[in-house]
Amino acid sequence: MGADGLVLDAEAWAQVLTGLYGPVSTRVDPGEGFRAAVRVRELGAVRVSAVRCPPVEVRAAAGPCDESAARHHLALVLGGELVLDQAGRTARAGRGDLVLFDTGRPFRLRPTAPWNAVVTAHLAPTPPTRPTPSSLPSPPPPPGGPGQLVARELPGREGVAALVAGFLAGLARDATPYRPCEELRLGMVVTDLVGALRDQWLGEEDPEPPVLLPRIQAYVLRHLGDGGLTPDRVAAAHHISTRYLHRLFQRQGLTVAAWIKAQRLERCRRDLADPHLRRLPVYAIGARWGFANAADFSRAFRTAYGITPTCFREGEGEGGSESRGEPAVRVRSQPRISARSANDSHATPQQTQR
């Protein structure tokens, strides 16, 4: 971040805040000349900022939404006081406290002390996606996600909160020039720590919000064609820890990796049975749904359906229903799918193809 950071006047300060939080309006004391200092470090998809400023008011402002900008921001107060008004609540965070806010909805943020020092983790946003098909409408944000912690003081003196606070404070002081791969790992540490904080604060055994798992499964369906889709990436996209993601699926008797593979294989099976896709090679159908290796695709397909993809396409399965334009193959086994929105929806290959 650098040793001292940039010293900014009121106009430059407002520009920096817009870059960190999206469209905002600021109000400063019109008396003495305004001066604030800021340091920003890029850690992969996560950004960490450290600021020192006098009293100021920051409000969400109308403006174009940048989907690549962070939406959730976890602030640690190193000195002074930070007052946040959002979601009908007011949080007053003092030295050592953490507070989360969501720039996707109205907010008012006020450092109120003569001098305030705050370090903020600007959490990685959900990666932008292609338009969702009409059969798969975008669900609302989960009530059990980060939004449930918005505008609540989180004391950072014990447990996971102390670990988060200590790590963020260390980043605020650190001026080490890291390599890109090291920055990426540090960003992942921030994401995992925030996910662990969310798990602890909401409780390990909290009843799972009914829309969270379907929302995650809908996200997976939109990205099936991406061979880099992993549990870590899915968890990061929803601002939860990977461990919590696995627990969500385990509650339904599923594993994340097995469910993803089953969905990919089902899309492959449908494409292989589609007479309009006869000219597309078998290996290409596997690749468009995330199977980069043809041999792995063939082996996985045979394990799931008891027949190779090529034989399935040629109608060499049981029953001989080629006259209907779809080979008849009895599915050997398929992991059950609990969320109706994932079971009933069908993402088109064009919307997941890289």
Side-chain angles (χ1 to χ4, degrees):
M1 291 184 183
D4 301 314
L6 298 174
V7 178
L8 309 172
D9 59 18
E11 182 178 354
W13 169 254
Q15 293 176 352
V16 168
L17 293 184
T18 296
L20 293 174
Y21 303 119
V24 296
S25 63
T26 60
R27 188 172 67 182
V28 302
D29 188 339
E32 298 182 3
F34 178 90
R35 288 292 183 270
V38 60
R39 294 170 292 161
V40 178
R41 165 159 271 171
E42 306 287 347
L43 301 177
V46 176
R47 181 180 286 178
V48 177
S49 66
V51 304
R52 294 187 73 249
C53 66
V56 63
E57 180 178 278
V58 182
R59 288 178 178 265
C65 179
D66 181 359
E67 293 185 358
S68 66
R71 173 172 171 173
H72 291 99
H73 311 262
L74 182 68
L76 167 67
V77 179
L78 298 177
E81 182 185 57
L82 191 65
V83 179
L84 169 67
D85 299 307
Q86 189 169 58
R89 295 189 291 268
T90 297
R92 295 182 176 273
R95 181 183 178 88
D97 292 337
L98 296 148
V99 64
L100 183 81
F101 59 102
D102 177 359
T103 50
R105 49 176 134 172
F107 71 92
R108 182 172 68 156
L109 192 66
R110 292 172 292 151
T112 59
W115 274 100
N116 306 273
V118 180
V119 56
T120 303
H122 309 273
L123 304 178
T126 301
T129 63
R130 296 178 176 87
T132 304
S134 58
S135 61
L136 192 61
S138 297
Q148 200 167 15
L149 297 182
V150 161
R152 297 186 186 279
E153 304 95 337
L154 308 176
R157 298 170 183 81
E158 61 183 20
V160 176
L163 294 176
V164 176
F167 194 74
L168 291 180
L171 288 175
R173 297 188 299 267
D174 189 13
T176 305
Y178 293 106
R179 296 176 298 169
C181 62
E182 294 170 332
E183 292 176 340
L184 180 62
R185 289 176 180 174
L186 287 172
M188 294 174 64
V189 171
V190 173
T191 299
D192 285 344
L193 283 174
V194 174
L197 176 64
R198 181 260 184 207
D199 288 356
Q200 182 187 61
W201 193 258
L202 294 182
E204 290 292 330
E205 301 301 329
D206 58 308
E208 188 48 43
V211 301
L212 181 53
L213 182 58
R215 179 174 182 261
I216 291 173
Q217 290 177 318
Y219 171 86
V220 169
L221 294 181
R222 293 196 301 269
H223 293 80
L224 283 177
D226 186 347
L229 185 67
T230 64
D232 286 343
R233 177 175 163 184
V234 174
H238 293 82
H239 303 300
I240 61 176
S241 67
T242 304
R243 177 175 59 86
Y244 187 66
L245 173 70
H246 285 300
R247 190 163 75 246
L248 292 182
F249 277 78
Q250 287 168 359
R251 289 176 180 176
Q252 306 298 327
L254 307 170
T255 67
V256 181
W259 192 85
I260 292 175
K261 178 184 285 188
Q263 298 307 307
R264 284 173 166 162
L265 288 171
E266 175 60 17
R267 270 57 182 183
C268 291
R269 186 191 69 81
R270 295 181 187 180
D271 284 0
L272 290 168
D274 188 343
H276 297 97
L277 298 177
R278 292 286 295 179
R279 297 180 62 183
L280 195 64
V282 168
Y283 73 85
I285 286 179
R288 78 191 315 205
W289 291 111
F291 292 98
N293 185 282
D296 290 344
F297 168 49
S298 181
R299 185 163 45 250
F301 193 94
R302 182 165 188 166
T303 298
Y305 299 112
I307 191 173
T308 67
T310 301
C311 291
F312 178 89
R313 167 175 272 183
E314 297 303 321
E316 298 178 13
E318 302 174 8
S321 61
E322 295 173 86
S323 61
R324 297 195 302 270
E326 178 178 345
V329 177
R330 182 171 300 167
V331 177
R332 175 176 293 174
S333 63
Q334 278 288 299
R336 66 186 178 90
I337 305 169
S338 62
R340 185 176 182 84
S341 65
N343 194 30
D344 293 347
S345 302
H346 177 58
T348 62
Q350 292 80 3
Q351 291 173 315
T352 55
Q353 190 172 6
R354 287 183 293 175

